[in-house]
Amino acid sequence: SLLLGPILGLYCRAYGGYPLDYVWTAGPPWFILWLLNFTMIYAVIAQFAAPVKMNMPHPVILLLFGAFLSAAFYGVAVGVPPEWMSFGNMVQWRYGIGLYIPFFTAGIVAGRNDWMKSVEEMETWCVWMLRTIVVGFWILMFLEAGSGIIPIPGVNIDAGVLENLLPPIYAVPMTLTLIQFFHQYFNGTPPSKIAKSAGAAAYTVYIIHPLIYNVWIIAFIAILKSAGVTIVFSQKTMLLFGGTINPATGEPTMLPDGYIWAGWLWTLILTQLTVWPLAHYMRQLPVL
């Protein structure tokens, strides 16, 4: 947190022509810090609380629980004042109440009661139901995000309502689907070299990925500049850039749609191709 966040800010500010300031941000390690908080609280509670004995509920029941968590998520999102939403360096307490605390608790119960076996042995119809739900949510999220940048004819999604309801009800089937999918196709015994290396590198990928994808964003901007495309950075909003300055607002105008889609694909593909090998070899360093 003391190193990676400020480094990211410094090189992005330098490229955008902004004053160079050391600005502390927790960055991705904030989640690991809160995971330590949860673990210490659990260690204290476990000293006097009786273990919970509970078989894994049917996935359909868990989906209904996800809907309940979405209601809690929405309640916190609209009910907690913005100045309290990040109390204790939590990245929004709507996620803390609606996702992180219940999922951490569920993980403890699942581990103590061997829920993994139930996930591995889910019936075929249940597996495909969960996969279909997850893909449906992917399409919905893609349309919501895409239409917010580039208007899509016939698509009108209320982003505010969606973003305040979707995360928990999506996270439940997504978690079950990924666990089952990787058990079926990747977690062989013994695991393949690629699967083993990717699993070991996952936390490092999580920590360093903002540094990597911002490098590729800057590279894409440099390519546009070298091709003669005008790029201007806002002097009002840090790191906001576009093609020209709108005289009415003083903010940059959007780049053409094709540039945005190309930049999205460029950043997505090159980030994945570089962040995983880099994380793998970073873990070989003696200090890590």
Side-chain angles (χ1 to χ4, degrees), residues 201-213:
Y203 260 119
T204 307
V205 168
Y206 170 69
I207 291 171
I208 68 172
H209 76 275
L211 293 168
I212 307 305
Y213 71 67

Side-chain angles (χ1 to χ4, degrees), residues 30-31 34 38 65-66 68-80 84-85 87 90-106 167-168:
W30 77 268
F31 184 79
W34 265 100
F38 292 158
F65 181 66
F68 169 79
L69 291 180
S70 284
F73 185 95
Y74 185 82
V76 175
V78 300
V80 175
W84 287 97
M85 194 63 79
F87 177 76
M90 170 66 74
V91 179
Q92 299 198 29
W93 273 101
R94 58 178 179 165
Y95 288 93
I97 299 297
L99 278 176
Y100 304 140
I101 294 175
F103 270 62
F104 182 83
T105 304

